[in-house]
Amino acid sequence: MLIGCGLSAVPVRVNKMLALTKKTDYALIALSYLAKRVEGVMSARELATASRVPLPILTNILKALARAGMVVGERGSAGGYCLAKPAESISLHELITAIEGPVHFVQCVSAGPDAHRNPCELQSCCSIRQPAHRIHDRLKEFLESVTLAELVDDPTVSVGLHLVHREPVPLRQTPVREFVR
Amino acid sequence: MLIGCGLSAVPVRVNKMLALTKKTDYALIALSYLAKRVEGVMSARELATASRVPLPILTNILKALARAGMVVGERGSAGGYCLAKPAESISLHELITAIEGPVHFVQCVSAGPDAHRNPCELQSCCSIRQPAHRIHDRLKEFLESVTLAELVDDPTVSVGLHLVHREPVPLRQTPVREFVR
DNA sequence: GCATATAGCACTAAATCGGTACTATATCAA
DNA sequence: TTGATATAGTACCGATTTAGTGCTATATGC
């Protein structure tokens, strides 16, 4: 979100601050399949047939995930993809950043560690800057608290919609291969 | 998010499940100005000059907010807008729903109270359906927990970026006019 | 009755997204 | 060495969506 910081004379580059689109959706599905795979790699083709995500799109997404360091791709005839780290360490925030771009709630928050040195020009008339920063932090915290492990954690019981509310269930440690490389 | 539910043969209508765009940004700014105005109404023109949001766009946004029941518009030469309810009761979730459309994390969650009667066709192969529902609920909860009051709550002290972390500060009750009508 | 305000459309130009295609490179096996 | 198969990277296009504009109707106050 720009929150009054994008109203200056100079045109702003960032229009979208947070989005969950089909792409992120596909990515989550692919990651969930990789998380369930306890050993070895899974090729994009395998993943596509298993998840029913169109192969060409899936390959693009996997490339992006690899670039972001969330999965590791191995080339060659026996190649494929596997998670680059345990599912507990892969957050929704990381995924959105990789697929959709960096998450902003306020634009002033965005660029690098010295962003506070270069706040928006409209600071004087942007009276909600500070609270917006706090909300941004809360949003980021939330997105970081949602992990892939949580998504793969399948109850397998209680198919009905009674609100079991199994919130405090400790996250199961998914068996993960060694991350050599 | 569709989470595997949009891969059936029939084309899916919903591509975007959550977005924060410039429009929501503008809306938040406008709402914050209205929240600070303790009495009377504020015309779109006034709001535009104060917030420096382009007037034509602002009018569109205010109309949408009025339709959603978040602000009340009064016509006539002395007309204008005011909040339809206390700032504490206006959540980010409500705002996003009004401006961007309904928030989905899973599509199965969406349509009405009997949505559980009509789950996605791919349920059998959509193994992350249940966890996705839980995450959807958490996301909704979070967005509902962020209120306009929080955004207007101006520290006015400590302009620097030291992390005061005034999280547990009780929300100040903004003085609100009577909501006759 | 006139000025001014919101309400509700319908419309356009530009940005974005979903999806495709092509080339380069790495690995394994015959 | 060669061929098959896999990922890596990037450029591209069509369809959708978004930001922004314009017009008409209606309500209010002087």
Side-chain angles (χ1 to χ4, degrees), chain A residues 2-3 25 36 116 127 138, chain B residues 2-3 25 36 127 161:
Chain A
L2 299 171
I3 306 280
D25 196 358
K36 282 182 203 159
H116 65 279
S127 53
R138 281 185 57 195
Chain B
L2 299 171
I3 305 281
D25 196 357
K36 280 181 203 157
S127 52
L161 278 188

Side-chain angles (χ1 to χ4, degrees), chain B residues 21-95:
Chain B
T21 70
K22 234 187 215 176
K23 251 187 199 166
T24 314
D25 196 357
Y26 291 155
L28 258 179
I29 296 172
L31 284 175
S32 75
Y33 275 89
L34 288 179
K36 280 181 203 157
R37 179 87 159 211
V38 290
E39 60 174 26
V41 296
M42 210 170 168
S43 75
R45 189 179 306 269
E46 270 182 282
L47 260 170
T49 55
S51 65
R52 302 179 64 171
V53 174
L55 178 60
I57 300 135
L58 189 60
T59 58
N60 273 350
I61 289 170
L62 286 168
K63 286 174 207 169
L65 294 179
R67 238 168 309 180
M70 302 174 69
V71 301
V72 172
E74 283 183 12
R75 301 185 179 186
S77 57
Y81 291 95
C82 65
L83 293 188
K85 45 188 175 180
E88 289 78 22
S89 306
I90 296 182
S91 72
L92 184 56
H93 184 265
E94 195 179 358
L95 176 63

Side-chain angles (χ1 to χ4, degrees), chain A residues 33-173:
Chain A
Y33 275 89
L34 288 179
K36 282 182 203 159
R37 180 87 158 208
V38 289
E39 61 174 22
V41 295
M42 210 170 168
S43 75
R45 189 180 307 270
E46 269 182 284
L47 260 170
T49 55
S51 64
R52 304 178 66 172
V53 174
L55 177 60
I57 301 138
L58 188 59
T59 59
N60 272 349
I61 289 170
L62 287 168
K63 286 174 209 169
L65 294 179
R67 237 168 309 179
M70 302 175 68
V71 302
V72 173
E74 284 184 11
R75 299 184 179 189
S77 56
Y81 291 95
C82 64
L83 293 187
K85 45 188 174 179
E88 288 78 22
S89 306
I90 296 182
S91 71
L92 184 56
H93 184 265
E94 195 179 359
L95 176 63
I96 294 177
T97 303
I99 300 294
E100 313 276 354
V103 172
H104 307 290
F105 187 80
V106 283
Q107 201 200 28
C108 335
V109 159
S110 56
D114 58 346
H116 65 279
R117 296 269 81 215
N118 182 28
C120 60
E121 302 81 14
L122 290 193
Q123 179 170 355
S124 55
C125 81
C126 177
S127 53
I128 57 177
R129 209 179 71 93
Q130 285 248 337
H133 271 74
R134 287 204 304 275
I135 296 177
H136 167 91
D137 291 340
R138 281 185 57 195
L139 174 64
K140 193 179 162 201
E141 254 175 59
F142 170 77
L143 292 176
E144 278 170 347
S145 77
V146 178
T147 70
L148 179 59
E150 200 173 344
L151 197 68
V152 180
D153 176 37
D154 191 3
T156 65
V157 283
S158 77
V159 182
L161 279 188
H162 20 109
L163 303 167
V164 272
H165 218 24
R166 27 204 342 278
E167 201 98 33
V169 162
L171 293 174
R172 224 182 337 171
Q173 178 76 23

